[in-house]
Amino acid sequence: MQWTTIFKKELLENWRNFKWIWVPIVFILFAIMDPLTAYFLPRILETVGGLPEGATIDFPMPSVAEAMMMSFNQLGMIGVLITIVISMGLVSSELKSGVYELILSKPVSYTNYITAKFTSILLLVSVALLASILVAWYYINILFGSISFTQILISTFFFIIYFMLILGIVMLFNTFFKSQGMVAFLSIVTIIAINAITSIYSHVLTWSPGLISDYIGVYFYSGEIETETWFSLAIAIILTIICLMIAITTLKNRAIE
Amino acid sequence: MDSQLIQLLLPIIILQFILIIIALIDLKRVEATRGPKWLWVLIIILGNLAGPIIYFIIGRRP
């Protein structure tokens, strides 16, 4: 009841500042940009010219799986950045402006407050991801060849879990600092650190959430889901829950102060 | 061949156009921005894809 009220308020706010429109559009544009450029690269070079007479270049046309991974990689970079940016002020800006004290002076539980905000932004990012990957899939179907729809849905689901972890991390830092820039900076550093550590010790940390997009790639190339995928997904979910729990406790401690 | 190119690029152009329009509507409604509003109009219109994104991320002042 109380949870739904905050949730609806968040959805309305995201709708009013057009997040529901611009985030999906930007995700879609970035998802289709790379496969399209790869497809048209020979022709772009031809038009731009500058090649010596008689020069022939053979570009290997990317395979379907490669093209699809281009979209995923692009979303894994730009998409993550945008996700951090749109969620960096969720709690911290309310802490700063004092809206937070206004809300919590009413009998609103901290758990409801955090989870409702988290769910609303997760819903937004999931819809954006799903839309962008479906559009990319449509384009790749036309340009490169077919890839199965269930494969797309399952890998999107994996990717959403990865983004859920990112949102969890951002929510955690949101309760620590009042400055949005600080939240964004530390979230990016944390995510880069996770990815760096994972790629250095990738043979040991096979369950690391940083490998989720690699496992999606494997799934596209081989058509089979590796067992480790499930472990890294589980770890991502557990870490998200831990992040949210710490966030809730931090807020409680803030109230006592 | 060229009509195929247009068919493929048309959705992208439409999406970019929507993005620009949305950014402009938002710019008109919002009370204060970081920096002068006319500058943001230029950035949104001339900034290609990055213009509206930059506006949405750092342009609005809460």
Side-chain angles (χ1 to χ4, degrees):
Chain A
M1 184 53 208
Q2 189 185 61
W3 190 88
T4 9
T5 318
I6 308 176
F7 183 64
K8 275 182 188 158
K9 177 227 149 215
E10 281 298 312
L11 286 187
L12 188 67
E13 202 174 305
N14 285 341
W15 176 249
R16 286 224 179 103
N17 54 30
F18 293 120
K19 269 182 193 160
W20 274 103
I21 303 174
W22 76 262
V23 177
I25 291 183
V26 171
F27 271 44
I28 289 172
L29 287 175
F30 277 110
I32 55 182
M33 201 171 284
D34 263 17
L36 264 188
T37 329
Y39 182 78
F40 285 116
L41 194 61
R43 213 188 303 173
I44 292 170
L45 284 182
E46 223 170 78
T47 326
V48 176
L51 294 172
E53 278 296 313
T56 49
I57 324 166
D58 282 326
F59 282 105
M61 199 39 97
S63 70
V64 187
E66 271 169 351
M68 207 61 229
M69 276 321 284
M70 282 179 186
S71 298
F72 273 97
N73 287 334
Q74 195 75 344
L75 286 174
M77 300 249 297
I78 312 272
V80 167
L81 278 182
I82 290 177
T83 308
I84 292 174
V85 165
I86 59 172
S87 51
M88 65 184 179
L90 271 184
V91 181
S92 61
S93 68
E94 296 197 347
L95 283 175
K96 198 175 185 179
S97 65
V99 178
Y100 157 77
E101 280 153 31
L102 208 70
I103 293 173
L104 291 184
S105 64
K106 299 190 174 66
V108 174
S109 90
Y110 301 97
T111 317
N112 283 347
Y113 179 76
I114 290 284
T115 50
K117 273 177 177 290
F118 173 78
T119 318
S120 74
I121 203 79
L122 178 64
L123 185 66
L124 170 64
V125 171
S126 311
V127 169
L129 276 177
L130 188 64
S132 57
I133 289 170
L134 284 183
V135 174
W137 174 67
Y138 174 77
Y139 266 89
I140 286 167
N141 249 337
I142 295 175
L143 298 177
F144 297 97
S146 62
I147 192 162
S148 92
F149 185 62
T150 31
Q151 234 174 351
I152 296 292
L153 279 188
I154 291 172
S155 42
T156 313
F157 170 71
F158 291 167
F159 218 43
I160 287 174
I161 304 251
Y162 177 60
F163 273 73
M164 192 174 87
L165 173 62
I166 289 162
L167 283 173
I169 293 170
V170 182
M171 285 307 271
L172 174 64
F173 287 125
N174 251 305
T175 55
F176 283 1
F177 306 101
K178 286 183 181 175
S179 142
Q180 295 189 14
M182 197 68 187
V183 174
F185 174 73
L186 284 176
S187 310
I188 292 173
V189 169
T190 313
I191 289 157
I192 291 176
I194 290 177
N195 282 324
I197 294 171
T198 307
S199 57
I200 296 171
Y201 300 106
S202 56
H203 52 291
V204 191
L205 303 177
T206 47
W207 36 263
S208 162
L211 285 174
I212 287 180
S213 63
D214 293 21
Y215 287 136
I216 291 175
V218 173
Y219 181 39
F220 276 133
Y221 286 113
S222 70
E224 276 161 39
I225 304 172
E226 284 199 41
T227 335
E228 282 95 347
T229 316
W230 301 110
F231 289 116
S232 44
L233 290 175
I235 295 283
I237 294 171
I238 292 168
L239 282 180
T240 314
I241 294 170
I242 292 175
C243 280
L244 289 182
M245 271 160 44
I246 299 176
I248 293 165
T249 358
T250 323
L251 269 193
K252 270 183 195 156
N253 292 341
R254 253 177 200 282
I256 294 167
E257 281 167 24
Chain B
M1 248 341 224
D2 268 343
S3 71
Q4 186 216 2
L5 186 67
I6 291 167
Q7 274 176 10
L8 284 172
L9 293 184
L10 194 64
I12 299 179
I13 296 166
I14 293 174
L15 282 180
Q16 276 216 27
F17 189 68
I18 297 174
L19 206 58
I20 291 174
I21 298 292
I22 295 285
L24 288 177
I25 295 174
D26 191 71
L27 182 66
K28 193 159 189 309
R29 287 205 316 202
V30 99
E31 275 170 28
T33 50
R34 264 177 252 259
K37 273 199 178 187
W38 60 268
L39 188 67
W40 280 113
V41 175
L42 287 185
I43 294 176
I44 290 169
I45 293 174
L46 302 176
N48 212 348
L49 175 57
I53 300 178
I54 293 173
Y55 166 71
F56 276 119
I57 290 173
I58 60 171
R60 325 171 89 252
R61 201 202 293 262

